[in-house]
Amino acid sequence: MIFSDLKQWEREQTVYPEAITKGLQYIRSTDFSELPLGKHEIDGELMFALLQEPLTQGWERQRPESHRTYTDIQLLLSGEELIRVVPLSEEAVISEESFDTRDIAFYSKVGAESDLVLKPGLFAVFYPGDIHRPCCSVGQDQKIRKVVIKVHKSLLGL
């Protein structure tokens, strides 16, 4: 997992994997206010962006999730979002698994989670297996705008 902001990325980009850098360069060069919500191709099914406007909710109402095929680069564009994170461990219990059709598994039980608070310009990178609980409220529920870049594991040598 990586947690940073676009300002830091300018200094850090040389240590990031090439595919993560490509995804962040796409973010830097794209005016998301001009794009409709939904899927936007970057490199076919190997890398694409999902522009979303979800409503945040209390963390206990959101389900922890992980992916097997894609790494997420999640950047907040507006609002405020809490994402709870925890490494995959033997404590994790999958309650719903759709890796083959939707590349996602949800968990009924995970280990002790840590909190990341995203504000506009902050991003997190979740590799396959990193359990994350996105779209949690900070204070009160609110509509947020975010972009999620999906990076296929083959681009990362995974």
Side-chain angles (χ1 to χ4, degrees), residues 23-108:
L24 290 167
Q25 286 171 335
Y26 173 84
I27 287 170
R28 290 294 302 236
S29 65
T30 302
D31 181 357
F32 291 102
S33 67
E34 299 292 320
L35 290 180
L37 297 178
K39 184 176 178 179
H40 302 275
E41 285 191 13
I42 301 169
D43 187 7
E45 289 300 306
L46 293 176
M47 186 181 297
F48 54 91
L50 300 173
L51 186 58
Q52 306 170 335
E53 287 187 348
L55 180 67
T56 63
Q57 299 180 29
W59 70 267
E60 59 283 329
R61 294 177 62 200
Q62 302 290 39
R63 297 188 295 174
E65 63 184 56
S66 72
H67 311 289
R68 184 169 52 189
T69 303
Y70 288 95
T71 290
D72 284 359
I73 304 171
Q74 297 196 17
L75 173 87
L76 193 65
L77 298 168
S78 67
E80 196 172 42
E81 176 186 19
L82 171 69
I83 300 179
R84 301 190 81 185
V85 297
V86 62
L88 183 62
S89 71
E90 292 180 8
E91 292 179 68
V93 176
I94 293 177
S95 60
E96 180 184 333
E97 186 262 301
S98 299
F99 284 132
D100 291 336
T101 57
R102 297 179 42 225
D103 188 41
I104 196 164
F106 294 103
Y107 296 82
S108 59

Side-chain angles (χ1 to χ4, degrees), residues 106-122:
F106 294 103
Y107 296 82
S108 59
K109 180 182 175 192
V110 295
E113 296 170 279
S114 296
D115 293 346
L116 301 177
V117 176
L118 271 66
K119 296 179 187 227
L122 294 176

